[in-house]
Amino acid sequence: MTDTRTRVVVIGGGYAGTLAANHLRLRADVDITLVNPRPVFVERIRLHQHVAGTGTATVDYGTLLGEGIRLVVDTAKGIDTANRQVVLASGDRLDYDYLIYAVGSTGTPPAVVPGAEQFAYAIAEFEYAQRLHRALDELHPDAPVVVVGAGLTGIETAAELAEQGRPVTLVCGGLLGPSLSPAGRRSVSKCLRRLGVDVLETAVVASVSPGAVRLVDGTVLRSAVTVWTAGFGVPDLAARSGLNTDELGRLLTDEALTSIDDPRIVAAGDAAAPSGQPLRMSCQAAGPMGVQAANTVLSRIAGTEPAVLNQAFVGQCVSLGRKHATFQLARFDDTPINLALGGRFAAWVKEAVCKGTVWGIRREATKPGSNPWLKGGKRAERLAHEAVTVS
């Protein structure tokens, strides 16, 4: 008897991978395996809360995954494209007919900054956040903390710690909130000042040592704990497996999220670079991309042409402690407009977004195909226009 079932392996159990796995259940003849290094789902958008002890950042996969999805707690060490197998750290191999690559992103202090790797704490992954939480727990409340990096993660971490009364310095290395509009930056800056955060916008770190951060202008900042939030990268699994990636290591795909090297591999989330022009690293992008990656696989199983990437953005919401936030509005193509909402209402919106992402995953688990996302980013038209402009 011929086996007509299709085996799909999803690497990565974050926002993109978990939604992709649940969405694949639209077909009853698909065997779905989700590979993740942890037995729990990590809400990365709450890691700054975990660090500060103001909230939790993990959810039991038993409440998130649809019936029949197999969870393998292991780390993917390689992709054997010739034999269609995922090689695991345990030595096991998983056969696949299609693979969804959703390994996400990470961030660690750079080796080029002396002392950063040894003495600064990262926050981008759960294990890093746990280590930082323990270090902060051991500090006296008045001990100075330096946060390096003024993207959204750095802003949220600095605000969360300052709201607890800790003396916090935020070293921006450039513009505060570079992805925000001037109105958004003013809103964030106002709240950080109210919380007592010392914002050094143009300062750049030269080195990190135990108890201190030295800036390039020679200034030395006292720092009992230094938190490094500047810069994100992606795991090198795709490159190590012989697949084409961009300079950061994101898997190169077409607009249907299919690898340019292998039609059996589809990518989603932070580690995907469709047409070499990736979307902003965020759960706002990862979730819909996970659903679209699953749709691409389902289309290929059905023998139909998969749809091209088409999702719109609404803005960015930055928490500033538990009582305030800034909601930066944006055009559908993710370009910020010079309009932002601040204060308690924005904090309510931010919390609703955080809760809504988990609710959406659970909803997709119980009713595959129910997870909506906003369309209309007109990405195809924009890419075509840019191509004409360049030529």
Side-chain angles (χ1 to χ4, degrees), residues 108-163:
T108 55
V112 293
V113 177
E117 278 189 311
Q118 296 91 338
F119 306 116
Y121 290 80
I123 191 177
E125 294 185 33
F126 184 62
E127 291 74 17
Y128 299 157
Q130 283 183 305
R131 177 172 170 260
L132 174 56
H133 173 71
R134 289 192 293 267
L136 289 168
D137 243 10
E138 295 173 358
L139 285 188
H140 188 278
D142 293 335
V145 176
V146 172
V147 177
V148 181
L152 304 191
T153 302
I155 291 170
E156 291 187 328
T157 304
E160 201 77 25
L161 296 175
E163 190 178 60

Short mmCIF file of all heavy atoms in Angstrom, two decimals, residues 108-163:
data_model
loop_
_atom_site.label_atom_id
_atom_site.label_comp_id
_atom_site.label_asym_id
_atom_site.label_seq_id
_atom_site.Cartn_x
_atom_site.Cartn_y
_atom_site.Cartn_z
N THR A 108 24.06 38.47 20.87
CA THR A 108 25.09 38.33 21.90
C THR A 108 26.05 39.51 21.80
O THR A 108 26.21 40.11 20.73
CB THR A 108 25.89 37.02 21.71
OG1 THR A 108 26.42 36.97 20.38
CG2 THR A 108 24.99 35.81 21.93
N PRO A 109 26.70 39.87 22.90
CA PRO A 109 27.68 40.96 22.85
C PRO A 109 28.77 40.65 21.83
O PRO A 109 29.25 39.51 21.73
CB PRO A 109 28.24 40.99 24.28
CG PRO A 109 27.14 40.42 25.11
CD PRO A 109 26.51 39.37 24.27
N PRO A 110 29.19 41.65 21.07
CA PRO A 110 30.16 41.41 19.99
C PRO A 110 31.59 41.24 20.50
O PRO A 110 32.00 41.88 21.46
CB PRO A 110 30.04 42.68 19.14
CG PRO A 110 29.64 43.74 20.12
CD PRO A 110 28.74 43.04 21.11
N ALA A 111 32.32 40.37 19.81
CA ALA A 111 33.72 40.13 20.19
C ALA A 111 34.61 41.33 19.89
O ALA A 111 35.68 41.48 20.48
CB ALA A 111 34.23 38.89 19.45
N VAL A 112 34.17 42.19 18.97
CA VAL A 112 35.01 43.33 18.56
C VAL A 112 35.09 44.40 19.65
O VAL A 112 35.97 45.25 19.62
CB VAL A 112 34.50 43.95 17.25
CG1 VAL A 112 34.66 42.98 16.10
CG2 VAL A 112 33.05 44.39 17.38
N VAL A 113 34.15 44.40 20.58
CA VAL A 113 34.20 45.35 21.69
C VAL A 113 34.89 44.66 22.87
O VAL A 113 34.35 43.71 23.43
CB VAL A 113 32.80 45.82 22.11
CG1 VAL A 113 32.87 46.76 23.31
CG2 VAL A 113 32.09 46.50 20.94
N PRO A 114 36.09 45.09 23.24
CA PRO A 114 36.84 44.43 24.31
C PRO A 114 36.02 44.27 25.59
O PRO A 114 35.43 45.24 26.09
CB PRO A 114 38.04 45.35 24.53
CG PRO A 114 38.23 46.04 23.22
CD PRO A 114 36.85 46.24 22.68
N GLY A 115 35.96 43.05 26.10
CA GLY A 115 35.28 42.78 27.36
C GLY A 115 33.78 42.55 27.24
O GLY A 115 33.16 42.07 28.19
N ALA A 116 33.19 42.86 26.09
CA ALA A 116 31.73 42.74 25.98
C ALA A 116 31.28 41.29 26.10
O ALA A 116 30.31 41.00 26.82
CB ALA A 116 31.26 43.34 24.65
N GLU A 117 31.95 40.38 25.42
CA GLU A 117 31.57 38.97 25.49
C GLU A 117 31.69 38.42 26.90
O GLU A 117 30.86 37.62 27.35
CB GLU A 117 32.44 38.14 24.54
CG GLU A 117 32.01 38.15 23.09
CD GLU A 117 32.78 37.15 22.27
OE1 GLU A 117 34.03 37.14 22.37
OE2 GLU A 117 32.15 36.38 21.53
N GLN A 118 32.74 38.85 27.61
CA GLN A 118 33.01 38.30 28.94
C GLN A 118 32.14 38.92 30.04
O GLN A 118 31.73 38.23 30.98
CB GLN A 118 34.48 38.49 29.31
CG GLN A 118 35.45 37.74 28.41
CD GLN A 118 35.90 38.60 27.24
OE1 GLN A 118 35.23 39.56 26.85
NE2 GLN A 118 37.05 38.24 26.67
N PHE A 119 31.86 40.23 29.93
CA PHE A 119 31.29 40.93 31.09
C PHE A 119 29.92 41.55 30.86
O PHE A 119 29.31 42.05 31.81
CB PHE A 119 32.27 42.03 31.54
CG PHE A 119 33.65 41.53 31.81
CD1 PHE A 119 34.74 41.96 31.06
CD2 PHE A 119 33.87 40.60 32.82
CE1 PHE A 119 36.02 41.49 31.30
CE2 PHE A 119 35.15 40.11 33.07
CZ PHE A 119 36.23 40.55 32.31
N ALA A 120 29.40 41.52 29.63
CA ALA A 120 28.07 42.06 29.37
C ALA A 120 27.06 40.92 29.26
O ALA A 120 27.40 39.80 28.89
CB ALA A 120 28.06 42.89 28.09
N TYR A 121 25.82 41.22 29.61
CA TYR A 121 24.75 40.22 29.60
C TYR A 121 23.84 40.44 28.40
O TYR A 121 23.38 41.57 28.16
CB TYR A 121 23.92 40.32 30.88
CG TYR A 121 24.63 39.87 32.13
CD1 TYR A 121 25.53 40.71 32.78
CD2 TYR A 121 24.41 38.61 32.67
CE1 TYR A 121 26.18 40.30 33.93
CE2 TYR A 121 25.05 38.19 33.83
CZ TYR A 121 25.94 39.04 34.45
OH TYR A 121 26.59 38.65 35.58
N ALA A 122 23.56 39.37 27.67
CA ALA A 122 22.60 39.44 26.58
C ALA A 122 21.20 39.19 27.13
O ALA A 122 21.02 38.76 28.27
CB ALA A 122 22.95 38.41 25.50
N ILE A 123 20.19 39.42 26.27
CA ILE A 123 18.80 39.27 26.71
C ILE A 123 17.94 38.61 25.65
O ILE A 123 16.79 38.28 25.89
CB ILE A 123 18.22 40.66 27.09
CG1 ILE A 123 16.86 40.51 27.80
CG2 ILE A 123 18.12 41.56 25.87
CD1 ILE A 123 16.28 41.82 28.26
N ALA A 124 18.50 38.36 24.46
CA ALA A 124 17.69 37.97 23.31
C ALA A 124 17.13 36.56 23.37
O ALA A 124 16.21 36.24 22.63
CB ALA A 124 18.50 38.13 22.03
N GLU A 125 17.66 35.71 24.23
CA GLU A 125 17.15 34.35 24.36
C GLU A 125 16.82 34.06 25.83
O GLU A 125 17.33 34.72 26.73
CB GLU A 125 18.16 33.33 23.83
CG GLU A 125 18.39 33.44 22.33
CD GLU A 125 19.30 32.34 21.82
OE1 GLU A 125 19.25 31.22 22.38
OE2 GLU A 125 20.05 32.60 20.88
N PHE A 126 15.97 33.06 26.04
CA PHE A 126 15.47 32.81 27.40
C PHE A 126 16.60 32.49 28.37
O PHE A 126 16.60 32.99 29.51
CB PHE A 126 14.47 31.65 27.37
CG PHE A 126 13.84 31.37 28.70
CD1 PHE A 126 13.06 32.33 29.33
CD2 PHE A 126 14.04 30.15 29.33
CE1 PHE A 126 12.49 32.09 30.57
CE2 PHE A 126 13.47 29.89 30.57
CZ PHE A 126 12.69 30.86 31.20
N GLU A 127 17.56 31.67 27.95
CA GLU A 127 18.67 31.32 28.84
C GLU A 127 19.50 32.54 29.20
O GLU A 127 19.96 32.68 30.33
CB GLU A 127 19.55 30.25 28.19
CG GLU A 127 18.90 28.89 28.06
CD GLU A 127 17.85 28.81 26.96
OE1 GLU A 127 17.84 29.71 26.08
OE2 GLU A 127 17.04 27.88 26.97
N TYR A 128 19.70 33.44 28.23
CA TYR A 128 20.42 34.69 28.51
C TYR A 128 19.64 35.53 29.51
O TYR A 128 20.20 36.11 30.44
CB TYR A 128 20.62 35.50 27.23
CG TYR A 128 21.42 34.83 26.15
CD1 TYR A 128 21.27 35.22 24.82
CD2 TYR A 128 22.33 33.82 26.44
CE1 TYR A 128 22.01 34.62 23.81
CE2 TYR A 128 23.06 33.22 25.43
CZ TYR A 128 22.90 33.62 24.11
OH TYR A 128 23.62 33.02 23.12
N ALA A 129 18.32 35.61 29.31
CA ALA A 129 17.48 36.41 30.20
C ALA A 129 17.47 35.83 31.62
O ALA A 129 17.46 36.58 32.60
CB ALA A 129 16.06 36.48 29.65
N GLN A 130 17.48 34.51 31.74
CA GLN A 130 17.54 33.88 33.06
C GLN A 130 18.83 34.26 33.79
O GLN A 130 18.81 34.58 34.98
CB GLN A 130 17.45 32.37 32.92
CG GLN A 130 16.06 31.82 32.66
CD GLN A 130 16.06 30.31 32.62
OE1 GLN A 130 16.80 29.69 31.86
NE2 GLN A 130 15.22 29.69 33.43
N ARG A 131 19.94 34.20 33.06
CA ARG A 131 21.24 34.53 33.64
C ARG A 131 21.26 35.99 34.11
O ARG A 131 21.73 36.31 35.20
CB ARG A 131 22.35 34.28 32.62
CG ARG A 131 23.75 34.65 33.07
CD ARG A 131 24.76 34.18 32.04
NE ARG A 131 26.09 34.71 32.31
CZ ARG A 131 26.62 35.75 31.68
NH1 ARG A 131 25.95 36.38 30.73
NH2 ARG A 131 27.84 36.18 31.99
N LEU A 132 20.71 36.87 33.28
CA LEU A 132 20.66 38.29 33.64
C LEU A 132 19.74 38.52 34.83
O LEU A 132 20.05 39.31 35.73
CB LEU A 132 20.19 39.11 32.43
CG LEU A 132 19.94 40.60 32.64
CD1 LEU A 132 21.18 41.29 33.19
CD2 LEU A 132 19.50 41.25 31.32
N HIS A 133 18.61 37.83 34.87
CA HIS A 133 17.68 37.96 35.99
C HIS A 133 18.37 37.58 37.31
O HIS A 133 18.22 38.28 38.32
CB HIS A 133 16.46 37.07 35.76
CG HIS A 133 15.53 37.00 36.93
ND1 HIS A 133 14.74 38.07 37.33
CD2 HIS A 133 15.27 36.01 37.82
CE1 HIS A 133 14.05 37.73 38.39
NE2 HIS A 133 14.33 36.48 38.71
N ARG A 134 19.14 36.50 37.29
CA ARG A 134 19.85 36.08 38.51
C ARG A 134 20.88 37.12 38.93
O ARG A 134 21.03 37.41 40.13
CB ARG A 134 20.53 34.73 38.27
CG ARG A 134 19.55 33.55 38.17
CD ARG A 134 20.28 32.22 38.23
NE ARG A 134 21.12 32.02 37.06
CZ ARG A 134 20.73 31.38 35.96
NH1 ARG A 134 19.49 30.91 35.87
NH2 ARG A 134 21.56 31.20 34.96
N ALA A 135 21.58 37.69 37.94
CA ALA A 135 22.59 38.72 38.27
C ALA A 135 21.94 39.95 38.88
O ALA A 135 22.45 40.53 39.86
CB ALA A 135 23.37 39.09 37.01
N LEU A 136 20.81 40.38 38.33
CA LEU A 136 20.12 41.55 38.87
C LEU A 136 19.54 41.28 40.25
O LEU A 136 19.50 42.16 41.10
CB LEU A 136 19.01 41.98 37.91
CG LEU A 136 19.47 42.59 36.58
CD1 LEU A 136 18.31 42.69 35.61
CD2 LEU A 136 20.08 43.97 36.81
N ASP A 137 19.11 40.05 40.46
CA ASP A 137 18.53 39.66 41.74
C ASP A 137 19.55 39.80 42.88
O ASP A 137 19.17 40.04 44.04
CB ASP A 137 18.04 38.21 41.67
CG ASP A 137 16.54 38.13 41.88
OD1 ASP A 137 15.89 39.18 41.89
OD2 ASP A 137 16.03 37.01 42.03
N GLU A 138 20.81 39.62 42.54
CA GLU A 138 21.87 39.67 43.55
C GLU A 138 22.36 41.09 43.83
O GLU A 138 23.14 41.32 44.74
CB GLU A 138 23.06 38.82 43.09
CG GLU A 138 22.73 37.32 43.00
CD GLU A 138 23.85 36.52 42.38
OE1 GLU A 138 24.86 37.14 41.99
OE2 GLU A 138 23.72 35.28 42.28
N LEU A 139 21.89 42.05 43.02
CA LEU A 139 22.35 43.43 43.17
C LEU A 139 21.58 44.18 44.24
O LEU A 139 20.40 43.93 44.48
CB LEU A 139 22.15 44.19 41.85
CG LEU A 139 23.10 43.94 40.68
CD1 LEU A 139 22.81 44.95 39.58
CD2 LEU A 139 24.54 44.02 41.11
N HIS A 140 22.26 45.13 44.86
CA HIS A 140 21.58 46.10 45.71
C HIS A 140 20.71 46.98 44.80
O HIS A 140 21.10 47.30 43.67
CB HIS A 140 22.62 46.97 46.45
CG HIS A 140 22.00 47.85 47.48
ND1 HIS A 140 21.42 49.06 47.17
CD2 HIS A 140 21.88 47.70 48.84
CE1 HIS A 140 20.97 49.63 48.27
NE2 HIS A 140 21.23 48.82 49.31
N PRO A 141 19.52 47.38 45.24
CA PRO A 141 18.64 48.19 44.40
C PRO A 141 19.27 49.47 43.88
O PRO A 141 18.84 50.00 42.84
CB PRO A 141 17.45 48.49 45.32
CG PRO A 141 17.46 47.38 46.31
CD PRO A 141 18.90 47.02 46.51
N ASP A 142 20.28 50.00 44.61
CA ASP A 142 20.91 51.25 44.19
C ASP A 142 22.11 51.04 43.28
O ASP A 142 22.74 52.01 42.85
CB ASP A 142 21.36 52.05 45.42
CG ASP A 142 20.18 52.54 46.25
OD1 ASP A 142 19.09 52.69 45.67
OD2 ASP A 142 20.36 52.74 47.47
N ALA A 143 22.44 49.80 42.97
CA ALA A 143 23.60 49.52 42.12
C ALA A 143 23.32 49.97 40.69
O ALA A 143 22.24 49.71 40.14
CB ALA A 143 23.93 48.04 42.14
N PRO A 144 24.27 50.66 40.04
CA PRO A 144 24.03 51.20 38.70
C PRO A 144 24.00 50.11 37.62
O PRO A 144 24.77 49.15 37.67
CB PRO A 144 25.21 52.14 38.48
CG PRO A 144 26.30 51.58 39.35
CD PRO A 144 25.62 51.00 40.55
N VAL A 145 23.10 50.27 36.67
CA VAL A 145 22.97 49.36 35.54
C VAL A 145 23.13 50.16 34.25
O VAL A 145 22.54 51.23 34.10
CB VAL A 145 21.60 48.65 35.53
CG1 VAL A 145 21.44 47.77 34.29
CG2 VAL A 145 21.42 47.82 36.80
N VAL A 146 23.92 49.63 33.33
CA VAL A 146 24.08 50.26 32.01
C VAL A 146 23.47 49.34 30.96
O VAL A 146 23.77 48.15 30.91
CB VAL A 146 25.56 50.52 31.68
CG1 VAL A 146 25.72 50.97 30.22
CG2 VAL A 146 26.14 51.57 32.62
N VAL A 147 22.58 49.90 30.15
CA VAL A 147 21.98 49.17 29.04
C VAL A 147 22.57 49.74 27.76
O VAL A 147 22.53 50.95 27.52
CB VAL A 147 20.45 49.32 29.03
CG1 VAL A 147 19.84 48.60 27.81
CG2 VAL A 147 19.84 48.78 30.32
N VAL A 148 23.12 48.87 26.92
CA VAL A 148 23.75 49.29 25.67
C VAL A 148 22.83 48.92 24.51
O VAL A 148 22.47 47.76 24.34
CB VAL A 148 25.12 48.61 25.48
CG1 VAL A 148 25.76 49.08 24.17
CG2 VAL A 148 26.03 48.90 26.66
N GLY A 149 22.47 49.92 23.73
CA GLY A 149 21.61 49.70 22.58
C GLY A 149 20.26 50.36 22.77
O GLY A 149 19.55 50.06 23.73
N ALA A 150 19.89 51.25 21.85
CA ALA A 150 18.66 52.02 22.01
C ALA A 150 17.61 51.65 20.99
O ALA A 150 16.80 52.48 20.58
CB ALA A 150 18.96 53.52 21.93
N GLY A 151 17.61 50.37 20.55
CA GLY A 151 16.47 49.86 19.81
C GLY A 151 15.34 49.58 20.77
O GLY A 151 15.40 49.92 21.96
N LEU A 152 14.30 48.92 20.29
CA LEU A 152 13.13 48.71 21.14
C LEU A 152 13.45 47.85 22.35
O LEU A 152 12.95 48.09 23.45
CB LEU A 152 12.00 48.07 20.32
CG LEU A 152 11.56 48.84 19.06
CD1 LEU A 152 10.27 48.24 18.52
CD2 LEU A 152 11.39 50.33 19.35
N THR A 153 14.31 46.83 22.18
CA THR A 153 14.66 45.96 23.30
C THR A 153 15.40 46.73 24.39
O THR A 153 15.13 46.58 25.58
CB THR A 153 15.52 44.78 22.83
OG1 THR A 153 14.81 44.04 21.84
CG2 THR A 153 15.86 43.85 23.99
N GLY A 154 16.35 47.56 23.98
CA GLY A 154 17.10 48.36 24.95
C GLY A 154 16.22 49.35 25.69
O GLY A 154 16.34 49.52 26.91
N ILE A 155 15.32 49.99 24.95
CA ILE A 155 14.40 50.96 25.57
C ILE A 155 13.51 50.26 26.59
O ILE A 155 13.35 50.73 27.73
CB ILE A 155 13.55 51.64 24.48
CG1 ILE A 155 14.42 52.57 23.63
CG2 ILE A 155 12.40 52.43 25.12
CD1 ILE A 155 13.71 53.09 22.38
N GLU A 156 12.93 49.12 26.20
CA GLU A 156 12.02 48.42 27.11
C GLU A 156 12.74 47.91 28.35
O GLU A 156 12.21 47.99 29.46
CB GLU A 156 11.34 47.27 26.37
CG GLU A 156 10.36 47.73 25.30
CD GLU A 156 9.56 46.60 24.69
OE1 GLU A 156 10.11 45.48 24.59
OE2 GLU A 156 8.39 46.83 24.33
N THR A 157 13.96 47.40 28.17
CA THR A 157 14.72 46.89 29.31
C THR A 157 15.10 48.01 30.26
O THR A 157 14.95 47.89 31.49
CB THR A 157 15.99 46.17 28.82
OG1 THR A 157 15.63 45.14 27.90
CG2 THR A 157 16.77 45.58 29.98
N ALA A 158 15.58 49.12 29.72
CA ALA A 158 15.96 50.26 30.55
C ALA A 158 14.76 50.79 31.34
O ALA A 158 14.86 51.06 32.54
CB ALA A 158 16.56 51.37 29.69
N ALA A 159 13.62 50.91 30.68
CA ALA A 159 12.43 51.44 31.35
C ALA A 159 11.93 50.48 32.43
O ALA A 159 11.55 50.92 33.52
CB ALA A 159 11.34 51.69 30.31
N GLU A 160 11.93 49.18 32.13
CA GLU A 160 11.43 48.20 33.09
C GLU A 160 12.26 48.21 34.38
O GLU A 160 11.71 48.14 35.48
CB GLU A 160 11.47 46.80 32.46
CG GLU A 160 10.56 45.79 33.09
CD GLU A 160 9.11 45.97 32.69
OE1 GLU A 160 8.83 46.52 31.61
OE2 GLU A 160 8.24 45.55 33.48
N LEU A 161 13.58 48.32 34.22
CA LEU A 161 14.46 48.34 35.40
C LEU A 161 14.36 49.66 36.15
O LEU A 161 14.37 49.70 37.38
CB LEU A 161 15.90 48.06 34.97
CG LEU A 161 16.17 46.68 34.36
CD1 LEU A 161 17.60 46.57 33.88
CD2 LEU A 161 15.87 45.58 35.39
N ALA A 162 14.26 50.75 35.40
CA ALA A 162 14.18 52.07 36.05
C ALA A 162 12.89 52.23 36.82
O ALA A 162 12.86 52.89 37.88
CB ALA A 162 14.31 53.17 35.00
N GLU A 163 11.82 51.64 36.34
CA GLU A 163 10.54 51.75 37.03
C GLU A 163 10.61 51.10 38.41
O GLU A 163 9.85 51.46 39.32
CB GLU A 163 9.44 51.09 36.19
CG GLU A 163 8.03 51.37 36.73
CD GLU A 163 6.97 50.74 35.86
OE1 GLU A 163 6.98 49.49 35.71
OE2 GLU A 163 6.12 51.48 35.33
#
